[in-house]
Amino acid sequence: MNTKTEICGAKVKGGMCMNEPVTGKAGCCLHVGLSTGSKTPEGRARQIEANRARWAEIKRALAHYRRNRVDSNGSTPRSPQA
């Protein structure tokens, strides 16, 4: 790949890829490739903890929404009777 110009430069059927490279990378979004994730146990543990924190925040936001939502007629929906 070509890192000195403002094109991707990957080999393709028609010659060279002429797309702009991704910021900070040598190739375009089609040819640069994605991260394969953490390889070490420590890195994986950080990812797991970050995902837990993210989902905990989503659960809190959903619970808040469900507690405070209002119907289209302006009333709050009744909770199901158990």
Side-chain angles (χ1 to χ4, degrees):
M1 287 202 207
N2 196 348
T3 58
K4 296 190 187 283
T5 61
E6 295 298 319
I7 62 168
C8 171
K11 290 183 184 178
V12 293
K13 280 186 180 180
M16 267 189 349
C17 175
M18 301 300 284
N19 292 331
E20 290 185 20
V22 175
T23 304
K25 303 285 183 175
C28 70
C29 60
L30 298 174
H31 299 112
V32 73
L34 298 175
S35 171
T36 58
S38 298
K39 300 296 182 213
T40 64
E42 295 83 14
R44 290 182 185 204
R46 281 194 311 269
Q47 283 184 328
I48 289 168
E49 185 55 38
N51 284 337
R52 282 189 184 133
R54 177 176 171 256
W55 281 107
E57 179 61 31
I58 289 170
K59 281 181 162 182
R60 280 193 296 273
L62 280 173
H64 180 268
Y65 166 76
R66 289 178 179 142
R67 277 193 312 271
N68 298 317
R69 69 179 174 190
V70 176
D71 279 346
S72 59
N73 63 2
S75 65
T76 56
R78 295 178 59 163
S79 60
Q81 300 288 331

